[in-house]
Amino acid sequence: PKKISFGLNDTISCAQPSVWADTLMFFASNINSGYGKIDLFYSVKRDDVWQLPMNCGSKVNSEYNESFPFFVNGKLYFASDRPNGFGGLDIYSIDFFDNNGRLELLSNPINTEKDDFGMCLDSNQISGYFSSNRSGNDDIYYFKNIFPSFKNCVEMKNNLFCYTFFEEASLSTQDTLGMTYEWSFGDGAKKRGLEVSHCFENEG
């Protein structure tokens, strides 16, 4: 093992590291430049040396305790005991490097009124593990998201209820040359012709 000092005083605690591609590390620390007792920090590795840590900022940290970071594909997961959650430690996520990223409180059954923490996911963020004391002891739980991802979807268009009507038998015969076809659509509208189009206001 090789000790990582970050250039910090040895009295400062750094714990629960999450390393991405051996170049980016998130961890929890009681560095006194934070927002609360325990904050999340990150360090970048340059020339095989981990640089002085940077605070993750107010979009992540609060006056309460943030811990157990896990970073995957741009998204940071962590636990916090801040209020307005489910209770105890709750797991949050945020697109960390997105300036417009918004903090998201993960829903039940991930979070409960007990302590839920230590999220760890696969690279697709579909399945993974986390810890919880919901059963009375700290246990590890596995989960898998069975719902499909609907990212970058085209906005659903309104149904215009427009149709084209034609009389198949009449189109293949010459017997209709002296006749006029009139269509009544049931909504008060009428049109004439062997093939006509009409748009209804609604279904029915």
Side-chain angles (χ1 to χ4, degrees), residues 165-173 181 183 194:
F165 299 88
F166 58 89
E167 168 53 54
E168 290 182 323
S170 300
L171 293 177
S172 59
T173 177
Y181 269 62
W183 301 80
L194 288 179

Side-chain angles (χ1 to χ4, degrees), residues 72-100:
V72 56
N73 288 339
K75 182 160 284 192
L76 178 65
Y77 294 84
F78 65 94
S80 176
D81 61 357
R82 66 186 67 189
N84 300 321
F86 285 82
L89 284 171
D90 289 312
I91 299 175
Y92 294 79
S93 69
I94 189 172
D95 289 321
F96 184 72
F97 292 108
D98 183 353
N99 292 330
N100 298 317

Side-chain angles (χ1 to χ4, degrees), residues 3-164:
K3 183 179 179 180
I4 300 173
S5 68
F6 299 116
L8 300 173
N9 189 299
D10 204 35
T11 61
I12 295 175
S13 297
C14 300
Q16 303 152 6
S18 174
V19 181
W20 178 257
D22 199 35
T23 58
L24 177 65
M25 181 190 301
F26 289 84
F27 61 93
S29 178
N30 63 347
I31 298 175
N32 56 15
S33 62
Y35 293 82
K37 295 180 181 178
I38 299 176
D39 277 357
L40 296 187
F41 294 79
Y42 70 94
S43 174
V44 178
K45 192 177 187 181
R46 294 194 183 97
D47 299 325
D48 204 37
V49 176
W50 290 101
Q51 304 299 304
L52 191 67
M54 301 288 291
N55 192 290
C56 288
S58 59
K59 67 179 182 180
V60 170
N61 292 312
S62 69
E63 59 184 297
Y64 297 89
N65 296 304
E66 281 69 44
S67 55
F68 297 98
F70 181 77
F71 184 80
V72 56
N73 288 339
K75 182 160 284 192
L76 178 65
Y77 294 84
F78 65 94
S80 176
D81 61 357
R82 66 186 67 189
N84 300 321
F86 285 82
L89 284 171
D90 289 312
I91 299 175
Y92 294 79
S93 69
I94 189 172
D95 289 321
F96 184 72
F97 292 108
D98 183 353
N99 292 330
N100 298 317
R102 299 177 64 88
L103 198 63
E104 178 183 355
L105 173 66
L106 271 61
S107 61
N108 186 278
I110 298 296
N111 282 318
T112 64
E113 70 277 4
K114 302 295 185 178
D115 289 331
D116 307 291
F117 55 96
M119 176 71 79
C120 178
L121 298 94
D122 63 17
S123 59
N124 295 319
Q125 302 176 61
I126 293 177
S127 63
Y129 300 86
F130 68 97
S131 298
S132 177
N133 65 355
R134 63 188 64 189
S135 62
N137 300 310
D138 287 346
D139 291 320
I140 298 175
Y141 291 82
Y142 170 79
F143 70 92
K144 183 176 181 180
N145 186 4
I146 61 174
F147 296 101
S149 176
F150 293 105
K151 295 181 179 179
N152 303 320
C153 297
V154 177
E155 184 177 354
M156 187 173 68
K157 297 180 180 179
N158 291 329
N159 194 336
L160 300 178
F161 304 107
C162 294
Y163 306 93
T164 299

